[in-house]
Amino acid sequence: MALAAIGPKAGSAVGPLVSLLEKTGQAEEQSALRYALIYALGRIGPPDATPALESLSALNTSADEMSATLATWASLQIDPDNKERYADAVPLLAKGLESESQTVRLE
């Protein structure tokens, strides 16, 4: 979370963050780490976090609702001018509002 707090100035950490994100896969025991990685990438934002978009897009449809919601949010933070990305995000985020998880609904 420290890298997330640093934000854009932590851009040099994007490569290792993406690499670690890809290693976590969908494993349940790695979910807290995955959430922190996704959040940090979103807070770092453009242009440095742009290489993370492919990995984040793969998580947009994750069965893990929190990963999907955070990945959608992070993608929008990294690529804020992409209208197509926003159009794709609205249904994914609206689906999160119906989640049984209060945390997902609040995100």
Side-chain angles (χ1 to χ4, degrees):
M1 293 307 255
L3 291 171
I6 294 169
K9 291 182 180 179
S12 62
V14 168
L17 289 172
V18 171
S19 194
L20 190 54
L21 179 63
E22 290 173 351
K23 287 179 186 174
T24 66
Q26 294 295 319
E28 178 70 28
E29 64 274 2
Q30 297 291 323
S31 61
L33 173 60
R34 187 171 45 257
Y35 303 157
L37 293 167
I38 295 168
Y39 182 70
L41 289 165
R43 292 282 296 143
I44 292 169
D48 291 326
T50 301
L53 286 170
E54 185 176 334
S55 296
L56 292 170
S57 293
L59 290 170
N60 284 346
T61 56
S62 172
D64 177 350
E65 292 177 317
M66 190 64 168
S67 286
T69 300
L70 285 171
T72 300
W73 169 83
S75 296
L76 296 173
Q77 301 306 303
I78 297 166
D79 194 11
D81 297 325
N82 186 324
K83 294 186 187 316
E84 184 177 321
R85 190 173 301 281
Y86 274 91
D88 292 343
V90 170
L92 292 171
L93 294 172
K95 180 181 176 187
L97 294 172
E98 299 170 3
S99 174
E100 291 183 17
S101 167
Q102 180 180 8
T103 306
V104 173
R105 289 192 311 268
L106 291 173
E107 287 298 321

